[in-house]
Amino acid sequence: WQSGYLPVPTSMLIDWNTSLTGFTSDTVGRNAYMQYLSRAQFPGHFKFAVDSFCGLIAQTEFNISLPQEMQELSENIGVNGEDLQQLMMQTVKELLITGRCGALLDYPSFGGENPYITIYPTESIVNWDNSADFVNKNQLNMVVLDESTEVMSKESLEYKPVNKYRFLRLNEGVYEYGESDSETRLPDVFNSMSGYGAVKDCIPFQFFNANNV
Protein backbone atom coordinates (compact mmCIF):
# COMPACT_ATOMS: atom_id res chain seq x y z
CA TRP A 1 0.00 0.00 0.00
CA GLN A 2 0.96 3.66 -0.20
CA SER A 3 2.69 5.17 2.82
CA GLY A 4 2.67 8.78 1.64
CA TYR A 5 -0.32 10.19 -0.22
CA LEU A 6 -3.57 8.38 0.71
CA PRO A 7 -2.21 5.88 3.28
CA VAL A 8 -4.41 3.04 4.52
CA PRO A 9 -7.02 4.35 7.00
CA THR A 10 -7.05 2.71 10.42
CA SER A 11 -10.41 1.00 9.88
CA MET A 12 -9.19 -0.65 6.67
CA LEU A 13 -5.92 -1.62 8.30
CA ILE A 14 -7.81 -3.43 11.07
CA ASP A 15 -9.69 -5.48 8.45
CA TRP A 16 -6.61 -5.94 6.22
CA ASN A 17 -6.30 -9.68 6.95
CA THR A 18 -10.00 -10.39 7.44
CA SER A 19 -11.10 -12.66 4.60
CA LEU A 20 -14.68 -13.61 3.70
CA THR A 21 -13.68 -16.13 1.04
CA GLY A 22 -10.68 -17.83 2.63
CA PHE A 23 -8.16 -16.25 0.24
CA THR A 24 -5.57 -13.93 1.76
CA SER A 25 -5.52 -11.80 -1.41
CA ASP A 26 -9.26 -11.16 -1.10
CA THR A 27 -9.76 -9.42 2.23
CA VAL A 28 -12.23 -6.84 3.49
CA GLY A 29 -9.57 -4.24 4.21
CA ARG A 30 -7.66 -4.77 0.96
CA ASN A 31 -10.79 -4.53 -1.20
CA ALA A 32 -11.97 -1.43 0.62
CA TYR A 33 -8.59 0.24 0.17
CA MET A 34 -8.50 -0.55 -3.59
CA GLN A 35 -11.93 1.06 -3.96
CA TYR A 36 -10.75 3.99 -1.85
CA LEU A 37 -7.80 4.55 -4.22
CA SER A 38 -9.92 4.19 -7.35
CA ARG A 39 -12.26 6.95 -6.17
CA ALA A 40 -9.50 9.30 -5.02
CA GLN A 41 -9.36 12.72 -6.66
CA PHE A 42 -6.55 15.24 -6.63
CA PRO A 43 -7.85 18.82 -6.26
CA GLY A 44 -7.91 20.58 -9.61
CA HIS A 45 -7.19 23.99 -8.14
CA PHE A 46 -3.54 22.94 -7.66
CA LYS A 47 -2.95 23.00 -11.44
CA PHE A 48 -4.81 26.31 -11.68
CA ALA A 49 -2.56 27.79 -8.98
CA VAL A 50 0.63 26.58 -10.72
CA ASP A 51 -0.50 27.94 -14.10
CA SER A 52 -1.47 31.26 -12.49
CA PHE A 53 1.89 31.71 -10.76
CA CYS A 54 3.74 30.77 -13.97
CA GLY A 55 1.69 33.36 -15.85
CA LEU A 56 2.51 36.06 -13.31
CA ILE A 57 6.23 35.25 -13.44
CA ALA A 58 6.24 35.14 -17.26
CA GLN A 59 4.97 38.73 -17.40
CA THR A 60 8.46 39.89 -16.48
CA GLU A 61 11.24 38.73 -18.79
CA PHE A 62 14.24 37.19 -17.06
CA ASN A 63 17.38 39.32 -17.10
CA ILE A 64 19.96 37.00 -18.69
CA SER A 65 23.46 38.32 -19.37
CA LEU A 66 25.69 36.25 -21.67
CA PRO A 67 28.93 36.82 -23.58
CA GLN A 68 28.42 37.83 -27.19
CA GLU A 69 29.65 34.49 -28.51
CA MET A 70 26.91 32.69 -26.53
CA GLN A 71 23.97 34.83 -27.64
CA GLU A 72 23.12 32.51 -30.51
CA LEU A 73 23.06 29.50 -28.18
CA SER A 74 20.62 31.24 -25.85
CA GLU A 75 17.99 31.24 -28.61
CA ASN A 76 18.19 27.48 -29.17
CA ILE A 77 19.63 25.79 -26.09
CA GLY A 78 16.90 23.33 -25.05
CA VAL A 79 16.80 19.71 -26.18
CA ASN A 80 13.60 20.54 -28.11
CA GLY A 81 14.80 23.89 -29.38
CA GLU A 82 13.69 26.03 -26.42
CA ASP A 83 15.39 29.33 -25.68
CA LEU A 84 16.70 30.26 -22.24
CA GLN A 85 13.52 32.07 -21.28
CA GLN A 86 11.46 28.94 -21.95
CA LEU A 87 13.89 26.75 -20.01
CA MET A 88 13.66 29.12 -17.09
CA MET A 89 9.86 28.83 -17.13
CA GLN A 90 10.12 25.02 -17.20
CA THR A 91 12.38 25.24 -14.15
CA VAL A 92 9.99 27.58 -12.33
CA LYS A 93 7.04 25.27 -13.01
CA GLU A 94 8.88 22.23 -11.63
CA LEU A 95 9.88 24.19 -8.53
CA LEU A 96 6.28 25.23 -7.93
CA ILE A 97 5.11 21.61 -8.18
CA THR A 98 7.78 19.65 -6.29
CA GLY A 99 10.33 22.21 -5.13
CA ARG A 100 13.28 20.66 -6.98
CA CYS A 101 14.51 19.79 -10.47
CA GLY A 102 17.79 19.48 -12.36
CA ALA A 103 19.44 20.55 -15.62
CA LEU A 104 21.91 18.55 -17.69
CA LEU A 105 24.26 20.08 -20.25
CA ASP A 106 24.88 17.59 -23.03
CA TYR A 107 26.08 17.21 -26.60
CA PRO A 108 24.31 15.33 -29.42
CA SER A 109 25.60 11.75 -29.57
CA PHE A 110 26.37 12.11 -33.26
CA GLY A 111 28.62 15.13 -32.65
CA GLY A 112 29.17 18.25 -34.69
CA GLU A 113 26.29 20.19 -33.15
CA ASN A 114 25.85 22.74 -30.39
CA PRO A 115 25.37 21.67 -26.75
CA TYR A 116 21.88 21.62 -25.28
CA ILE A 117 20.22 21.65 -21.86
CA THR A 118 17.60 19.17 -20.65
CA ILE A 119 15.41 19.87 -17.61
CA TYR A 120 14.69 16.82 -15.43
CA PRO A 121 11.79 16.84 -12.94
CA THR A 122 12.59 15.63 -9.45
CA GLU A 123 10.83 12.29 -10.09
CA SER A 124 13.39 11.52 -12.82
CA ILE A 125 16.41 12.14 -10.57
CA VAL A 126 16.42 8.75 -8.87
CA ASN A 127 19.87 8.77 -7.25
CA TRP A 128 22.92 10.97 -6.73
CA ASP A 129 26.04 11.29 -4.60
CA ASN A 130 27.88 14.42 -3.57
CA SER A 131 29.64 13.02 -0.51
CA ALA A 132 33.25 13.91 0.21
CA ASP A 133 35.62 11.51 -1.51
CA PHE A 134 38.81 13.15 -0.21
CA VAL A 135 39.60 14.25 -3.78
CA ASN A 136 36.76 16.56 -4.80
CA LYS A 137 34.95 17.44 -1.61
CA ASN A 138 31.41 18.81 -1.95
CA GLN A 139 31.44 17.97 -5.66
CA LEU A 140 28.81 15.94 -7.47
CA ASN A 141 30.27 12.46 -8.03
CA MET A 142 27.32 10.51 -9.44
CA VAL A 143 23.80 11.05 -10.79
CA VAL A 144 21.24 8.53 -12.06
CA LEU A 145 18.45 9.85 -14.31
CA ASP A 146 15.31 7.98 -15.27
CA GLU A 147 14.71 8.38 -19.02
CA SER A 148 12.28 5.47 -19.34
CA THR A 149 9.70 5.84 -22.09
CA GLU A 150 7.21 3.95 -24.22
CA VAL A 151 8.01 2.70 -27.72
CA MET A 152 5.41 1.69 -30.28
CA SER A 153 5.75 -1.79 -31.77
CA LYS A 154 5.75 -1.72 -35.59
CA GLU A 155 3.97 -5.07 -35.67
CA SER A 156 1.16 -4.59 -33.13
CA LEU A 157 1.15 -0.75 -33.00
CA GLU A 158 1.00 -1.07 -29.23
CA TYR A 159 3.13 1.01 -26.91
CA LYS A 160 5.43 -0.94 -24.63
CA PRO A 161 7.44 0.46 -21.70
CA VAL A 162 11.22 0.63 -22.13
CA ASN A 163 13.41 1.09 -19.06
CA LYS A 164 16.30 3.47 -19.63
CA TYR A 165 18.53 5.02 -16.99
CA ARG A 166 21.36 7.46 -17.66
CA PHE A 167 24.34 7.22 -15.32
CA LEU A 168 26.65 10.21 -14.88
CA ARG A 169 29.80 9.82 -12.81
CA LEU A 170 33.28 11.07 -12.08
CA ASN A 171 35.81 8.28 -12.55
CA GLU A 172 39.22 9.33 -11.21
CA GLY A 173 38.26 12.94 -11.86
CA VAL A 174 37.02 12.36 -15.42
CA TYR A 175 33.34 12.78 -16.39
CA GLU A 176 31.74 9.67 -17.89
CA TYR A 177 28.20 8.70 -18.84
CA GLY A 178 26.40 5.50 -19.82
CA GLU A 179 22.98 3.87 -20.11
CA SER A 180 21.40 0.90 -18.34
CA ASP A 181 17.98 -0.75 -18.17
CA SER A 182 18.03 -0.68 -14.36
CA GLU A 183 18.66 2.10 -11.87
CA THR A 184 20.63 -0.32 -9.68
CA ARG A 185 22.90 -1.84 -12.34
CA LEU A 186 25.87 0.04 -13.76
CA PRO A 187 26.10 0.38 -17.54
CA ASP A 188 28.31 -2.11 -19.36
CA VAL A 189 30.05 0.77 -21.15
CA PHE A 190 30.83 4.32 -20.02
CA ASN A 191 31.71 7.07 -22.51
CA SER A 192 33.48 10.38 -22.06
CA MET A 193 32.93 13.69 -23.83
CA SER A 194 35.36 14.70 -26.54
CA GLY A 195 35.87 17.71 -28.76
CA TYR A 196 36.27 21.42 -28.21
CA GLY A 197 34.47 22.72 -25.13
CA ALA A 198 33.57 19.26 -23.83
CA VAL A 199 33.10 18.92 -20.09
CA LYS A 200 35.71 16.56 -18.69
CA ASP A 201 36.43 17.29 -15.02
CA CYS A 202 32.93 17.66 -13.53
CA ILE A 203 29.41 16.37 -14.02
CA PRO A 204 27.51 19.03 -16.04
CA PHE A 205 24.37 18.63 -13.96
CA GLN A 206 22.88 21.33 -11.76
CA PHE A 207 20.22 20.93 -9.07
CA PHE A 208 17.66 23.70 -8.56
CA ASN A 209 15.46 24.30 -5.58
CA ALA A 210 13.59 27.21 -4.05
CA ASN A 211 16.83 28.60 -2.56
CA ASN A 212 19.13 28.53 -5.58
CA VAL A 213 17.09 29.27 -8.71
Side-chain angles (χ1 to χ4, degrees), residues 11 13 17 24 34 61 63 71 73 85 97 102 108-109 119 135 138 140 146 183-184 186 188 209:
S11 58
L13 194 59
N17 294 317
T24 56
M34 290 300 103
E61 188 169 314
N63 183 17
Q71 289 297 330
L73 285 178
Q85 295 286 339
I97 295 173
S109 58
I119 303 298
V135 177
N138 301 322
L140 196 59
D146 184 359
E183 63 180 282
T184 58
L186 290 175
D188 295 329
N209 56 48

Side-chain angles (χ1 to χ4, degrees), residues 95-116:
L95 295 182
L96 287 172
I97 295 173
T98 60
R100 185 180 65 197
C101 65
L104 173 65
L105 174 67
D106 202 0
Y107 280 81
S109 58
F110 45 82
E113 299 290 339
N114 291 327
Y116 58 88

Side-chain angles (χ1 to χ4, degrees), residues 4-17:
Y5 183 65
L6 293 178
V8 182
T10 303
S11 58
M12 297 179 190
L13 194 59
I14 293 174
D15 293 330
W16 193 258
N17 294 317

Side-chain angles (χ1 to χ4, degrees), residues 152-158:
M152 185 179 70
S153 170
K154 295 182 180 179
E155 290 76 21
S156 63
L157 301 183
E158 294 180 346

